[in-house]
Amino acid sequence: MSEVPPISGTGMIIDGKALASEVEAETKVRVDELAALGGRPGLATIIVGDNPASAMYVRIKHSACDRVGIRSENVNLPEGAGIDEILETIRGLNEREDVSGILLQLPLPRELDPARAMAAIDPAKDVDGFHPMNMGSLLAGAEGLVPCTPKGIIWALERLGVDLEGKEAVIVGHSNVVGKPLAAMMLNRNATVSVCHVFTKDLASHTRKAEVLVVAAGVPGLIRGDMVRPGAYVFDVGINRVGGRTVGDVQFDEVIGVAAAVTPVPGGVGPLTVSILMSQTAKAAEMKMKMKEG
Amino acid sequence: MSEVPPISGTGMIIDGKALASEVEAETKVRVDELAALGGRPGLATIIVGDNPASAMYVRIKHSACDRVGIRSENVNLPEGAGIDEILETIRGLNEREDVSGILLQLPLPRELDPARAMAAIDPAKDVDGFHPMNMGSLLAGAEGLVPCTPKGIIWALERLGVDLEGKEAVIVGHSNVVGKPLAAMMLNRNATVSVCHVFTKDLASHTRKAEVLVVAAGVPGLIRGDMVRPGAYVFDVGINRVGGRTVGDVQFDEVIGVAAAVTPVPGGVGPLTVSILMSQTAKAAEMKMKMKEG
């Protein structure tokens, strides 16, 4: 990551791995402090079934835990586990002193209701930020534990020196995981926020006005160069497998020549998200320690 | 309210009182059913101090209760009441079987934290929809008890036959009470949503694209005729006292000639909001009865 401020149209690549390393380094200091006080943070992940992608994502998260000194463990429930078994597992982890954060890896198999499971996680251990209490505090402007991908984008913008206040921000995608919580976080920072999605009639008319553009649509190459405002900061949340390659929602080769800065896929938003999960697990442990003291 | 579909530019006045009467009539039927089953809904309001505006708003709400058959009561705490006294009052009302809805009238005096007080209300009795659990469920697309003004606007659009899916919706104002929850509700209905506010650089460039425009800025006459798209549906949430008159945020005389339909001030969004409070108090009572049965 260059220390030189980016100039419009120079097309800086936003190095997600480098940013993630910064977050991890910061987090490691906090984890060491917590450990010195006898409260080393612990992350418990839950996988239901044997989805290979879920197993891979959880492995990546555990590796990050190892790097920053967070204790980690995984509970693997069988493919046929019912909602009661999941809720029981969560309740057990809620009770445990040595578990600071609980992460239920999605998707769940079959008809299992992820909302019901996530609402059972102690909000103070909800390091993914999807519990209604945490989502509601976020919407009301009191951000505690929040969804990791939006938080990573906000963090990167701060790190890049982009002040959101008064900026035209456009988000493509209105999911519960990225689009809607990110919109709330950007409004909390006084950006003008537009949220587009598959039902939007004229997508380009919105994206061309964006000083900050975040694309989380799951459509390979959706955003072409002529849809981007010169000098924009572009975050590509898409992870799509196309012809054996992993590509984003942004036509990187075209957009890099127009934008001020773009995240690549892979190596952009992905690693940043994992590092924020570490930071939030430390935060959950810090909050617990503060409550004990207070 | 005319039954004829509005034509672009005819400038229909959206009669908030007539719409509110419809909501109240619907609600009265539900309240009568609940009462017949022995569960007449009750609304408890709390006023702290002696703000005359608060007293007036609460009177209006109690009158609406009388019209639909909801039992109502008010707890008036002294101006000097502390947060503990407020929390204790709320806890007492949380426990009471005959109280279906609890409404803490804002603003609170002095430095009292409204967020802390509102978070103490049982989410199942939170008829104002401001509890983090309810705001979070709303953001995640599972709308239970939600803020009344946004809900009233959504209800009016449905009643007017305006399908939000794919519509360009613009909200001016990003408060916790109107702008942010309404943005979430419109996204849940697949509108393309832009939220502007005092930090927005070029407000007119946004408002001119709006097929549905909601203004909740608290700035008298902010929206002029040339800032509105012909054929738009315009909701004016503003209530401002100017020279002894109550006016909205929209220059009604100008906008009525451009828009398909506009809410007046007074007599627009205000009465609709109160009627939705009645409907939500009935809903809270219905949910309680369902839980008992289930």
Side-chain angles (χ1 to χ4, degrees):
Chain A
M1 168 91 34
S2 164
E3 290 298 319
V4 180
I7 296 155
S8 166
T10 56
M12 184 181 81
I13 298 173
I14 300 173
D15 184 343
K17 283 185 197 171
L19 287 171
S21 294
E22 285 187 38
V23 176
E24 286 188 7
E26 272 182 19
T27 304
K28 190 173 185 319
V29 172
R30 292 158 59 199
V31 168
D32 288 347
E33 281 175 24
L34 286 159
L37 296 166
R40 180 176 298 281
L43 176 67
T45 55
I46 305 169
I47 298 181
V48 185
D50 43 18
N51 183 329
S54 291
M56 185 191 71
Y57 286 129
V58 163
R59 264 201 311 276
I60 290 171
K61 290 164 188 176
H62 284 238
S63 296
C65 284
D66 290 346
R67 287 195 297 275
V68 301
I70 292 175
R71 201 186 51 71
S72 66
E73 65 186 89
N74 181 55
V75 181
N76 206 327
L77 295 176
E79 180 76 23
I83 187 77
D84 288 336
E85 199 171 339
I86 298 171
L87 296 179
E88 201 180 316
T89 301
I90 290 171
R91 276 186 219 112
L93 295 169
N94 282 345
E95 295 300 317
R96 271 178 51 193
E97 274 288 314
D98 60 336
V99 171
S100 337
I102 302 170
L103 183 150
L104 176 67
Q105 185 65 43
L106 300 183
L108 297 182
R110 298 165 285 122
E111 307 288 284
L112 293 169
D113 179 10
R116 199 172 152 205
M118 286 187 299
I121 296 174
D122 178 351
K125 297 188 176 189
D126 169 44
V127 286
D128 250 348
F130 296 143
H131 190 285
M133 276 296 288
N134 288 322
M135 289 279 266
S137 297
L138 160 59
L139 186 60
E143 297 174 10
L145 297 173
V146 298
C148 295
T149 298
K151 174 90 175 182
I153 292 166
I154 295 287
W155 189 91
L157 285 167
E158 282 172 11
R159 179 64 189 74
L160 293 164
V162 180
D163 181 5
L164 277 165
E165 189 162 290
K167 287 279 187 309
E168 291 284 335
V170 175
I171 301 165
V172 184
H174 66 331
S175 74
N176 291 341
V177 179
V178 181
K180 283 191 284 181
L182 179 59
M185 293 177 84
M186 288 181 154
L187 286 171
N188 290 342
R189 287 158 182 80
N190 298 320
T192 301
V193 179
S194 300
V195 185
C196 305
H197 41 69
V198 68
F199 295 100
T200 296
K201 279 175 285 194
D202 185 358
L203 179 60
S205 75
H206 286 280
T207 58
R208 280 191 195 116
K209 296 178 82 175
E211 297 173 281
V212 175
L213 176 62
V214 178
V215 191
V219 181
L222 176 67
I223 303 298
R224 312 290 308 246
D226 64 359
M227 294 168 73
V228 173
R229 175 173 170 160
Y233 288 79
V234 180
F235 292 83
D236 187 351
V237 183
I239 299 180
N240 313 288
R241 292 293 291 177
V242 176
R245 284 197 319 141
T246 298
V247 300
D249 293 350
V250 171
Q251 291 270 8
F252 186 84
D253 296 343
E254 293 181 12
V255 171
I256 192 78
V258 183
V262 191
T263 61
V265 175
V269 171
L272 197 51
T273 297
V274 174
S275 72
I276 295 291
L277 176 66
M278 299 302 110
S279 155
Q280 294 217 112
T281 306
K283 184 176 182 169
E286 286 161 356
M287 293 190 309
K288 192 177 71 178
M289 192 160 279
K290 230 176 179 171
M291 268 186 47
K292 270 192 190 163
E293 286 169 357
Chain B
M1 167 95 25
S2 165
E3 290 298 320
V4 180
I7 296 154
S8 167
T10 57
M12 184 181 80
I13 298 173
I14 300 173
D15 185 344
K17 282 184 197 170
L19 287 172
S21 294
E22 285 187 37
V23 176
E24 287 188 8
E26 271 182 20
T27 303
K28 192 174 183 317
V29 173
R30 292 157 59 198
V31 168
D32 288 347
E33 281 176 23
L34 287 159
L37 296 166
R40 181 177 297 283
L43 175 69
T45 55
I46 305 169
I47 299 181
V48 185
D50 44 17
N51 183 330
S54 291
M56 185 191 71
Y57 286 128
V58 163
R59 263 200 312 276
I60 289 171
K61 291 164 188 176
H62 284 238
S63 296
C65 285
D66 290 346
R67 286 195 298 274
V68 300
I70 293 175
R71 201 186 51 71
S72 66
E73 64 186 271
N74 181 56
V75 181
N76 206 326
L77 295 176
E79 180 76 23
I83 186 77
D84 288 336
E85 200 171 339
I86 298 171
L87 295 180
E88 202 181 315
T89 301
I90 289 171
R91 276 186 221 112
L93 295 169
N94 283 345
E95 294 301 317
R96 271 178 50 194
E97 273 287 315
D98 60 335
V99 171
S100 339
I102 302 169
L103 182 151
L104 177 66
Q105 185 65 44
L106 300 183
L108 297 182
R110 298 165 284 120
E111 307 288 286
L112 293 170
D113 179 10
R116 200 173 150 203
M118 286 186 302
I121 296 174
D122 178 350
K125 297 189 176 189
D126 170 43
V127 286
D128 251 348
F130 296 142
H131 190 286
M133 276 296 288
N134 288 321
M135 290 278 267
S137 297
L138 160 59
L139 186 59
E143 298 175 10
L145 297 172
V146 297
C148 295
T149 297
K151 173 90 175 184
I153 291 166
I154 295 288
W155 189 90
L157 285 166
E158 281 172 12
R159 181 64 189 74
L160 293 163
V162 180
D163 180 6
L164 277 165
E165 187 161 292
K167 286 278 187 310
E168 291 284 335
V170 176
I171 301 165
V172 185
H174 66 333
S175 73
N176 292 341
V177 180
V178 181
K180 283 190 284 183
L182 179 58
M185 293 177 83
M186 287 180 154
L187 286 171
N188 290 342
R189 286 158 182 80
N190 298 321
T192 301
V193 179
S194 300
V195 185
C196 304
H197 40 68
V198 67
F199 295 99
T200 296
K201 279 175 285 193
D202 185 358
L203 179 60
S205 75
H206 286 280
T207 58
R208 279 191 196 117
K209 296 178 81 175
E211 297 173 281
V212 175
L213 176 61
V214 178
V215 192
V219 180
L222 175 67
I223 303 298
R224 312 291 307 247
D226 64 357
M227 294 167 73
V228 173
R229 174 171 171 161
Y233 288 78
V234 180
F235 292 83
D236 187 351
V237 184
I239 299 179
N240 312 288
R241 292 293 291 177
V242 175
R245 284 197 319 141
T246 298
V247 300
D249 293 351
V250 171
Q251 291 270 8
F252 186 84
D253 295 344
E254 293 181 13
V255 171
I256 192 76
V258 183
V262 191
T263 61
V265 176
V269 171
L272 197 51
T273 297
V274 174
S275 72
I276 296 291
L277 176 66
M278 298 303 109
S279 156
Q280 294 217 111
T281 305
K283 184 176 183 169
E286 286 162 355
M287 293 190 307
K288 193 178 69 179
M289 192 160 280
K290 230 177 182 170
M291 269 184 47
K292 269 191 192 166
E293 286 169 0

